[in-house]
């Protein structure tokens, strides 16, 4: 084939090399607008896996690159006058200019035609003599922009400002330095990529990226400074880290504030059009804070060259496989990069953390590094985190490390033995609202399984407040007796506490039990439903009756009566369910609340009735016992519904009325919503609410591993962690987690001690074999 590569960065060069390696008869022309020695980056960081891929693809260039890497293991986090160092991270880096030189030499050796200082046309018609045109011209790709309607380009410009400096200060650790100025916080990402040599001019080099939010950038006057002034300011701010070394810019072509960039996240639905193929940053970008842009570009190049040279594979099929495989890897990294980007963009949430927790939060920000992964990297450091967490939980210094999930937690006078919660899960197994033997076994078993707190399913405050005919209730004497039997069993056979979740179905009521179809109306025996407004849950559901003031009074009193019954039944805690599109949620979300009176419109008005109900419940519940509220922190409908920012205000409003915990869920408030699922997908909302409103939160939503629980807690993203489906199939999830982590401090019901001992031994043996 005759191929034109537009762009002389790592992506284009390595693709050209990979094609010539597979078939020397390919004629490859590479066009680069800049000179051969021009580069606008500093250092490039690689993983060991990327090096293995390079060695497998081209041992010659791979060995040269490998032999010139700078190596380091440590990360330093400087915050509030302290330096927290962790080790075992295994970084390797090389100068971008040196990498390009190595790839240029290898490309020439293989017969690639390199054309520098050549402005390539962005019009495909000018490349008619080529079988393939490869757009490897970076995030600002001109040819991709020319044909962007064919690629489905989605570009999101992130908010923070950054400047990519270099310095001759050689850092011995990957350094994150956070400094507070009179204008706000500013921080640096610094790492070496060229170790000092013995020859003249070989002083060593490091990348030094300075980042801040745009408000700080403007207050510092950087929007009005030329480059020398900006460099001088940054040198003063970070003087203690630079040790007298200066900062260097290789962006002299950009004037004044133009040198400060904002990261552009790029996604393309399609990576090819006609004979044009996107490669590397032209097709996708990942934020510099996870250092994977060059990795992705090189691995794109390997895959594309492989499929284009595979015998019997048509070009269309080759491009289909190229995008399918690479896009999966890109999406994984982009998700991690998004998490990392958002951490730095919301830095203010975490500045109240103690330095050790701040460092842990930073290290785990992308979710690529987990609690146990940190243990593998630096066990003594992680055990220091665990000792600190346990010490904070008990209020005195602790010598023995223990997983964060097994730290106690106090809500008013209720002491939980650990942070694991059995989430409320509808069982649809009651008769006329009465829990039965199924519920006794269900809740009793899970309480014996080691969790610190067990929630009931949403228990309804009236017959017409049930979701389905199978829902439990708390509105009749027989309900109190049945629940008391369960609570007494839990208290008598373990350490778990019990929380009664109370709710009213509102517009989502009078439907079939879950396994017959969620939110599907009953075929017969329906009861009327009510809500804030006459907005049905879906076209198939009943149109609810808008509530009158008399209806509100009646429902409020029903919640109060249920609270009093809960006290009689012996519950340790009560939760108000104000989420998921049920009655109180129908007031909170503007999607359902269309009222024009004092209960509709502004958030203050929409919260008026839910807060009234909670206030009355709190007054009826003993002052020494805790209460929580479940909210939907995101309607997944953009600005049309409740947003995470608004959820902070919702949480704060309930907290001020006496809530002790915000149970942070999301969605299920609008039938047409489009949630973004993934592991721990709702945890960011618990994190935001906890650390912006400064309230206690519980995370829930696709949390299923011990690593998830420990990472969430140690990073200060939530105070408790609720697991639903894992507890459905494994009532002993917490005991199993204790055995897996070789933790012996969890309470085990005496009849089960033998089984627990065997489980712990077997898991320890399995761990040794894997090691």
């Amino acid at each position: 084939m005759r191929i034109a590569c537009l762009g002389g960065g790592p992506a284009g060069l390595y693709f050209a090399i990979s094609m010539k390696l597979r078939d020397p008869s390919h004629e490859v022309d590479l066009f680069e607008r800049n000179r051969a020695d021009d580069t606008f980056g500093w250092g490039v960081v690689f993983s060991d896996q990327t090096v293995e891929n390079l060695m497998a693809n081209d041992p010659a260039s791979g060995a040269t690159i490998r032999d010139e890497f700078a190596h380091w293991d440590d990360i330093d986090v400087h915050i509030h006058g302290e330096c927290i160092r962790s080790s075992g991270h295994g970084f390797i880096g090389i100068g971008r200019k040196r990498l390009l030189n190595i790839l240029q030499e290898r490309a020439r050796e293989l017969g690639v035609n390199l054309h520098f200082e050549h402005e390539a046309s962005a019009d495909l018609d000018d490349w008619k003599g080529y079988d393939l045109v490869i757009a490897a011209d970076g995030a600002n790709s001109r040819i991709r922009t020319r044909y962007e309607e064919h690629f489905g380009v989605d570009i999101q410009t992130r908010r923070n400002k950054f400047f990519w400096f270099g310095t001759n200060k050689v850092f011995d650790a990957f350094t994150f330095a956070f400094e507070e100025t009179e204008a706000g916080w500013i921080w640096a990402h610094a790492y070496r990529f060229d170790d000092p040599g013995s020859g003249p001019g070989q002083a060593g080099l490091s990348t030094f990226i300075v980042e801040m939010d745009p408000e700080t950038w403007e207050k510092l006057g950087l929007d009005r400074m030329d480059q020398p002034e900006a460099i001088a300011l940054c040198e003063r701010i970070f003087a203690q880290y630079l040790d007298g070394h200066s900062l260097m810019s290789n962006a002299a072509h950009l004037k004044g504030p133009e040198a400060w960039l904002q990261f552009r996240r790029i996604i393309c639905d399609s990576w090819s059009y006609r004979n044009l193929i996107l490669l590397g940053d032209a097709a996708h970008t990942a934020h510099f804070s996870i250092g994977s842009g060059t990795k992705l570009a090189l691995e794109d190049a390997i895959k594309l060259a492989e499929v284009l040279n595979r015998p019997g594979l048509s070009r269309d099929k080759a491009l289909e496989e190229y995008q399918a495989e690479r896009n999966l890897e890109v999406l994984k990294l982009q998700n991690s990069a998004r998490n990392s980007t958002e951490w730095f963009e919301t830095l203010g949430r975490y500045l109240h953390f103690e330095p050790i927790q701040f460092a842990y939060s930073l290290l785990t920000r992308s979710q690529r590094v987990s609690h146990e992964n940190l243990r593998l990297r630096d066990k003594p450091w992680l055990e220091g985190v665990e000792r600190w967490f346990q010490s904070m939980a008990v209020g005195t210094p602790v010598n023995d490390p223990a997983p964060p999930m097994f730290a106690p937690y106090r809500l008013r006078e209720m002491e939980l033995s650990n942070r694991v919660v059995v989430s409320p899960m509808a069982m649809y197994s009651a008769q006329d609202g009465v829990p039965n033997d199924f519920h006794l076994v269900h809740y009793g078993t899970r309480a014996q399984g080691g969790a610190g707190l067990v929630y009931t399913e949403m228990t309804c405050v009236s017959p017409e407040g049930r979701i389905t005919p199978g829902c439990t209730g708390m509105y009749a004497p027989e309900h109190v007796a049945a629940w008391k039997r369960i609570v007494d069993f839990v208290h008598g056979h373990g350490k778990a506490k019990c929380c009664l979740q109370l709710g009213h179905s509102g517009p989502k009521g009078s439907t079939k039990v879950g396994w017959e179809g969620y939110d599907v109306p009953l075929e017969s025996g329906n009861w009327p439903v009510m809500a804030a407004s006459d907005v049905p849950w879906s076209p198939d559901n009943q149109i609810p009756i808008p509530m009158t003031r008399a209806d509100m009074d009646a429902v409020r009193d029903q919640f109060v009566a249920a609270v009093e019954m809960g006290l009689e039944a012996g519950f340790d805690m009560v939760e108000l369910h104000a989420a998921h599109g049920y009655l109180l949620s129908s007031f909170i979300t503007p999607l359902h609340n269309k009222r024009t009176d004092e209960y509709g419109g502004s958030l203050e008005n929409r919260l008026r009735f839910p807060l009234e109900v909670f206030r009355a419940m709190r007054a009826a519940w003993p002052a020494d016992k805790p209460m929580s509220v479940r909210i939907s922190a995101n309607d997944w409908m953009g600005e049309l519904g409740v947003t995470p920012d608004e959820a902070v205000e919702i949480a704060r409003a309930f907290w001020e009325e006496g809530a002790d915990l915000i149970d942070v869920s999301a969605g299920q408030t609008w039938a047409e919503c489009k949630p973004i699922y993934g592991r721990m997908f709702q945890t960011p909302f618990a994190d935001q609410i906890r650390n912006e409103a400064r309230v206690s939160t519980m995370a829930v939503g696709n949390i299923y591993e011990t690593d998830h629980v420990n990472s969430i807690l140690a990073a200060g993203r939530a105070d408790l962690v609720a697991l639903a489906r894992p507890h459905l199939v494994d009532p002993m999830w917490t005991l199993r987690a204790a055995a897996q982590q070789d933790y012996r401090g969890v309470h085990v019901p005496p009849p089960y001690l033998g089984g627990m001992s065997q489980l712990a031994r077997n898991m320890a043996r399995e761990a040794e074999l894997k090691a």
Side-chain angles (χ1 to χ4, degrees):
M1 285 187 287
R2 189 164 185 242
I3 302 166
C5 284
L6 313 187
L13 283 166
Y14 205 66
F15 173 74
I17 291 167
S18 300
M19 289 298 287
K20 294 292 282 186
L21 282 169
R22 286 164 175 78
D23 187 345
S25 69
H26 291 312
E27 182 181 344
V28 184
D29 288 295
L30 184 144
F31 301 90
E32 169 56 47
R33 67 190 300 183
N34 297 301
R35 295 171 298 183
D37 287 335
D38 286 344
T39 181
F40 304 104
W42 291 94
V44 177
V45 178
F46 284 111
S47 67
D48 290 336
Q49 182 60 56
T50 302
V51 177
E52 290 179 16
N53 293 339
L54 297 181
M55 291 297 297
N57 186 61
D58 179 25
S61 62
T64 304
I65 294 168
R66 179 197 60 198
D67 293 344
E68 297 199 22
F69 275 128
H71 298 260
W72 67 100
D73 285 321
D74 299 336
I75 292 178
D76 282 352
V77 180
H78 297 265
I79 183 71
H80 300 315
E82 290 190 36
C83 177
I84 305 296
R85 170 169 286 197
S86 63
S87 192
H89 300 284
F91 293 106
I92 46 180
I94 189 171
R96 180 179 171 85
K97 180 180 284 191
R98 181 58 187 137
L99 175 64
L100 291 176
N101 292 156
I102 293 169
L103 296 181
Q104 288 166 6
E105 291 169 11
R106 181 59 170 153
R108 288 192 186 97
E109 179 184 304
L110 293 171
V112 177
N113 304 311
L114 303 181
H115 308 274
F116 292 100
E117 298 182 77
H118 189 293
E119 188 73 62
S121 170
D123 190 334
L124 271 178
D125 291 338
D126 293 335
W127 302 97
K128 287 181 179 177
Y130 290 91
D131 300 301
L132 291 178
V133 179
I134 307 299
D137 50 345
N140 297 317
S141 172
R142 292 168 61 246
I143 195 166
R144 183 202 65 223
T145 302
R146 169 71 174 77
Y147 297 99
E148 64 182 358
E149 71 272 16
H150 301 289
F151 294 116
V153 183
D154 176 13
I155 299 177
Q156 181 185 76
T157 301
R158 304 301 307 203
R159 73 186 309 268
N160 281 2
K161 296 281 190 175
F162 67 94
F163 200 130
W164 208 293
F165 294 113
T167 180
N168 288 123
K169 163 65 187 289
V170 179
F171 290 87
D172 63 354
F174 199 120
T175 298
F176 294 96
F178 297 85
E179 288 294 315
E180 187 175 17
T181 72
E182 70 281 1
W185 284 83
I186 177 171
W187 55 95
H189 315 238
Y191 54 90
R192 75 175 185 265
F193 60 84
D194 186 17
D195 287 333
S198 56
Q202 291 182 278
L205 287 166
S206 295
T207 293
F208 198 93
I209 303 170
V210 174
E211 183 181 5
M212 69 200 79
D213 64 42
E215 293 80 14
T216 301
W217 184 74
E218 288 186 6
K219 289 177 183 176
L220 286 171
L222 289 163
D223 58 331
R224 302 180 298 278
M225 291 184 191
D226 59 23
Q227 278 203 44
E229 289 177 300
I231 289 172
L233 175 62
C234 291
E235 286 174 344
R236 289 196 299 273
I237 292 172
F238 294 105
Q240 64 175 307
Y241 309 103
L242 292 169
D243 295 333
H245 293 278
S246 61
L247 294 177
M248 301 177 287
S249 167
N250 57 15
H253 62 296
L254 298 175
K255 303 303 180 185
E258 293 177 3
W260 291 89
L261 306 177
Q262 288 173 277
F263 182 78
R264 298 167 77 233
R265 191 273 291 134
I266 296 171
I267 296 173
C268 293
D269 293 336
S270 175
W271 293 7
S272 61
Y273 167 64
R274 288 166 49 186
N275 66 331
L276 175 62
I277 305 171
L278 304 182
L279 188 69
D281 282 354
H284 49 73
T285 57
H287 194 260
F288 60 82
S289 63
I290 66 167
S292 295
T294 303
K295 161 194 164 62
L296 289 174
L298 296 175
E299 292 174 352
D300 278 358
I302 294 170
K303 181 61 182 180
L304 182 57
E306 188 270 314
V307 295
L308 288 174
N309 287 278
R310 191 186 303 165
L313 191 64
S314 69
R315 192 168 76 185
D316 287 347
K317 287 293 184 183
L319 295 180
E320 183 180 316
E321 181 177 327
Y322 161 63
Q323 179 169 345
E325 179 179 311
R326 293 302 304 148
N327 195 44
L328 180 61
E329 294 305 310
V330 168
L331 287 175
K332 289 177 184 176
L333 279 171
Q334 283 186 326
N335 285 338
S336 296
R338 182 194 65 239
N339 295 334
S340 179
T341 307
E342 290 176 352
W343 191 91
F344 285 106
E345 289 178 344
T346 58
L347 181 70
R349 295 178 189 170
Y350 312 111
L351 291 169
H352 67 284
F353 285 2
E354 291 194 22
I356 193 167
Q357 186 173 42
F358 183 89
Y360 182 99
S361 177
L362 187 154
L363 293 177
T364 58
R365 68 193 183 280
S366 72
Q367 297 181 16
R368 295 170 73 194
V369 176
S370 67
H371 195 78
E372 291 307 311
N373 187 260
L374 285 172
R375 194 183 308 279
L376 290 174
R377 296 180 184 209
D378 192 342
K379 182 178 179 181
W381 184 83
L382 184 71
E383 289 182 344
V385 173
E386 291 180 335
R387 278 191 291 270
W388 169 84
F389 193 89
Q390 292 287 336
S391 298
M392 295 297 293
V394 301
T396 58
V398 170
N399 293 323
D400 296 326
M405 64 189 294
F406 292 111
Y409 193 67
R410 190 180 187 87
L411 290 167
R412 299 207 182 204
E413 296 303 311
M414 184 183 77
E415 183 84 22
L416 300 178
S417 60
N418 61 62
R419 309 292 181 102
V420 180
V421 178
V422 177
S423 190
M425 297 172 283
M427 293 292 102
Y428 308 115
S429 300
Q431 183 69 38
D432 295 325
V434 180
N436 49 47
D437 287 350
F438 170 85
H439 298 86
L440 175 66
V441 173
H442 170 73
Y443 292 111
T445 305
R446 280 145 190 84
Q448 290 181 312
L453 180 63
V454 177
Y455 268 75
T456 71
E457 59 201 274
M458 188 177 96
T459 298
C460 306
V461 298
S462 66
E464 63 276 7
R466 292 174 298 163
I467 309 166
T468 76
C471 290
T472 56
M474 187 65 96
Y475 50 84
E478 54 268 31
H479 298 153
V480 177
W483 279 119
K484 189 175 189 308
R485 177 180 177 229
I486 293 168
V487 173
D488 286 349
F489 179 90
V490 170
H491 288 161
H493 294 83
K495 302 291 186 181
K497 305 298 183 183
C498 289
C499 179
L500 171 64
Q501 187 190 67
L502 293 173
H504 189 297
S505 60
K508 295 174 77 173
S510 191
T511 57
K512 296 181 179 180
V513 298
W515 48 85
E516 294 178 358
Y518 285 104
D519 303 321
V520 176
L522 294 169
E523 294 176 2
S524 62
N526 284 282
W527 56 85
V529 299
M530 64 173 70
S533 304
D534 57 353
V535 179
W537 169 250
S538 79
D540 296 328
N541 291 85
Q542 292 184 55
I543 297 176
I545 301 167
M547 292 181 72
T548 65
R549 182 62 253 185
D551 293 330
M552 293 182 200
D553 291 342
V555 168
R556 179 201 61 213
D557 293 346
Q558 289 166 354
F559 273 96
V560 170
V563 164
E564 293 169 343
M565 292 179 183
L567 182 62
E568 186 181 348
F571 282 98
D572 304 288
M573 178 176 171
V574 166
E575 175 166 288
L576 173 63
H577 198 321
H580 299 171
Y582 297 126
L583 183 70
L584 298 181
S585 175
S586 78
F587 276 85
I588 296 172
T589 173
L591 295 166
H592 280 280
N593 189 336
K594 304 301 180 184
R595 299 179 74 101
T596 57
D597 60 7
E598 65 270 32
Y599 298 99
S602 67
L603 178 60
E604 180 183 4
N605 284 356
R606 287 182 276 123
L607 277 171
R608 194 181 302 275
F609 179 58
L611 288 174
E612 180 184 324
V613 172
F614 182 83
R615 193 179 302 119
M617 294 169 66
R618 180 73 264 183
W621 188 244
D624 62 336
K625 289 179 177 287
M627 286 184 66
S628 60
V629 181
R630 171 165 279 205
I631 66 171
S632 285
N634 192 342
D635 285 343
W636 301 110
M637 290 293 291
E639 297 300 321
L640 296 176
V642 170
T643 64
D645 288 344
E646 199 171 46
V648 174
E649 300 307 314
I650 293 169
R652 188 178 283 119
F654 279 109
W655 188 266
E656 290 172 354
E657 293 292 346
D660 304 290
L661 180 74
I662 307 299
D663 178 359
V664 186
S665 187
Q668 302 180 58
T669 56
W670 192 248
E672 302 303 318
C673 70
K674 294 182 173 140
I676 301 173
Y677 292 112
R679 60 194 178 103
M680 302 183 282
F681 73 110
Q682 294 174 162
T683 299
F685 310 136
D687 183 347
Q688 180 176 356
I689 290 169
R690 180 185 191 268
N691 293 304
E692 288 187 11
R694 302 290 182 89
V695 302
S696 298
T697 63
M698 181 166 72
V700 62
N702 207 22
I703 300 167
Y704 51 87
E705 293 182 355
T706 56
D707 245 13
H708 297 167
V709 179
N710 287 324
S711 296
I712 289 168
L713 294 169
R717 307 183 78 193
D719 300 281
L720 297 175
V721 179
L723 298 91
R725 293 181 182 181
H727 278 122
L728 282 177
V729 296
D730 187 358
M732 303 291 172
W733 188 92
T734 308
L735 294 184
R736 190 178 301 278
Q740 178 187 345
Q741 298 170 93
D742 195 27
Y743 176 72
R744 305 303 173 91
V746 67
H747 173 77
V748 181
Y752 299 158
L753 284 170
M756 184 66 175
S757 297
Q758 184 184 60
L759 180 62
R761 287 194 303 272
N762 290 343
M763 286 192 159
R765 191 177 300 118
E766 289 175 13
E768 288 175 6
L769 291 174
K770 288 180 181 178

